[in-house]
Amino acid sequence: MKLWMLGNRLTTEMYERERFIEEADKYGIDFNLVFADEIDLIVSRDDRKSIRYRNDIVSLPDSILARTGSGTGYFNLSVLRQFERLNVPTLPNSAAIEASKDKMYANQILAQAGLPIPKTMLTRFPCNTELVEKQVGFPCVIKVVTGSHGAGVYLCETPKQFEDLSELISSLDFKNSMIVQEYIKESEGRDLRVIVIGGRVVGAMQRKSTDGSFKANISRGGQGEAYDVDDQMELLAIQTAKVLGLDIAGVDLLFHSDGYRICEANSSPGFKGFEKALSINVPEKIFDYVKLRIPSLIHR
């Protein structure tokens, strides 16, 4: 099987890169890590030659593993769409990645599906603090529209803090919109990362802040530990991945007094802390799914 992994030089962690290469070798997979800036697209009727890799025409892979996540820009999406036009399966596909990386759009999809999310509001500058207080309340969480690893996420405890932070964000880029979200007190400093592959939960990890922050991301110093998967957690994670169209997803859940709330879903979840906490081989699970998804590749 010839498998390409489309990565992002800035956001694809070295640990993940090395783990995929290591496991691909064990599987006997012809694996290649590629980046969008190594690819040129020529759109014409001669489709099979419309992709150049490092300036050369090369045989197309059997499948593309997309690991660009929230850092997926226009060019990355264009590359994935071109492979899809050539009937090369991309996992996840471009539409699912685009939906999940836009936090507001993802919440709209989840809400339409009747899934539990924190109350969410999209606001623009100048922000109406009174409306935010009435509709969402304080404390509240401010998020940029795209982002990962806890970047661009802030806690505002009072209207004054909200106004000051809004002014700062506006001064940096007045065109930006931002998301205001209900603060879930029960989940302060902790959350759950559930990895879903091919519609199945492979495990869950509780992340805890170690520095007093309300954010618990492992990449920001949080600690991870194995967490037992219950029925509600499993159902929510699977439904979240399904409605967003994600074959592979890291679903983040917040603790709530009546169960859980869906925080977000990542199309290329990091798994260094996950593997350490659960002793689960994530690349192996992904490669198993790729072979099941594309049965014709099993005996190649």
Side-chain angles (χ1 to χ4, degrees):
M1 177 174 65
K2 186 177 181 180
L3 178 67
W4 284 9
M5 185 172 87
L6 182 66
N8 187 306
R9 293 189 190 276
L10 298 178
T11 61
T12 304
E13 298 292 337
M14 187 60 68
Y15 175 85
E16 278 78 17
R17 300 182 194 182
E18 293 175 350
R19 286 288 294 118
F20 277 111
I21 293 171
E22 177 185 3
E23 292 302 316
D25 185 59
K26 293 179 183 178
Y27 266 62
I29 295 173
D30 181 2
F31 182 85
N32 193 21
L33 171 63
V34 302
F35 300 102
D37 59 13
E38 298 176 310
I39 295 175
D40 293 294
L41 305 179
I42 298 91
V43 179
S44 69
R45 291 183 298 178
D46 190 11
D47 277 346
R48 304 306 293 182
K49 297 181 180 179
S50 64
I51 291 177
R52 302 289 194 280
Y53 174 58
R54 295 181 178 176
N55 299 318
D56 289 329
I57 298 174
V58 296
S59 59
L60 297 180
D62 298 304
S63 183
I64 295 285
L65 179 61
R67 293 283 301 178
T68 51
S70 62
T72 306
Y74 177 80
F75 196 84
N76 296 91
L77 286 172
S78 296
V79 169
L80 291 173
R81 289 170 183 145
Q82 187 70 1
F83 277 109
E84 290 164 1
R85 286 185 63 246
L86 302 179
N87 298 317
V88 176
T90 63
L91 307 172
N93 64 46
S94 58
I97 294 172
E98 188 173 25
S100 61
K101 88 184 200 75
D102 184 331
K103 294 179 181 179
M104 188 62 191
Y105 184 39
N107 274 290
Q108 289 171 321
I109 294 171
L110 295 172
Q112 185 179 25
L115 297 178
I117 61 171
K119 183 180 288 187
T120 302
M121 178 179 179
L122 181 67
T123 187
R124 56 195 180 279
F125 303 108
C127 301
N128 186 329
T129 305
E130 291 183 359
L131 181 62
V132 170
E133 185 168 19
K134 179 180 179 181
Q135 295 297 326
V136 179
F138 290 98
C140 68
V141 176
I142 290 180
K143 297 181 177 182
V144 296
V145 176
T146 62
S148 62
H149 303 298
V153 180
Y154 311 94
L155 176 64
C156 288
E157 299 191 43
T158 66
K160 176 59 176 171
Q161 287 183 353
F162 178 82
E163 291 174 355
D164 290 345
L165 185 57
S166 298
E167 289 177 6
L168 175 61
I169 295 173
S170 178
S171 69
L172 296 175
D173 186 352
F174 68 90
K175 294 181 180 180
N176 259 350
S177 299
M178 66 181 185
I179 294 169
V180 182
Q181 203 163 58
E182 171 190 7
Y183 180 58
I184 309 296
K185 177 66 177 176
E186 296 92 331
S187 206
E188 182 175 353
R190 63 182 186 134
D191 66 7
L192 291 168
R193 161 59 60 88
V194 186
I195 290 186
V196 181
I197 300 173
R200 295 182 178 181
V201 169
V202 301
M205 173 179 68
Q206 180 176 214
R207 303 182 295 190
K208 293 183 178 179
S209 170
T210 58
D211 59 1
S213 171
F214 79 101
K215 294 180 282 190
N217 303 71
I218 299 294
S219 59
R220 306 182 73 86
Q223 290 184 341
E225 60 186 23
Y227 198 89
D228 291 337
V229 178
D230 60 43
D231 291 343
Q232 184 184 12
M233 183 198 312
E234 182 174 32
L235 182 61
L236 280 180
I238 291 172
Q239 288 180 321
T240 298
K242 182 178 180 180
V243 300
L244 291 174
L246 293 170
D247 303 271
I248 301 162
V251 179
D252 295 342
L253 300 177
L254 302 174
F255 293 95
H256 193 272
S257 57
D258 64 356
Y260 306 100
R261 292 290 183 270
I262 301 163
C263 179
E264 61 185 35
N266 193 315
S267 64
S268 61
F271 52 82
K272 182 177 181 179
F274 192 91
E275 287 196 327
K276 181 179 179 181
L278 279 74
S279 298
I280 289 176
N281 189 325
V282 174
E284 180 182 69
K285 298 287 186 183
I286 291 175
F287 289 150
D288 284 342
Y289 171 65
V290 171
K291 289 193 172 186
L292 286 173
R293 171 72 186 274
I294 311 170
S296 61
L297 304 182
I298 294 178
H299 301 295
R300 291 190 183 184

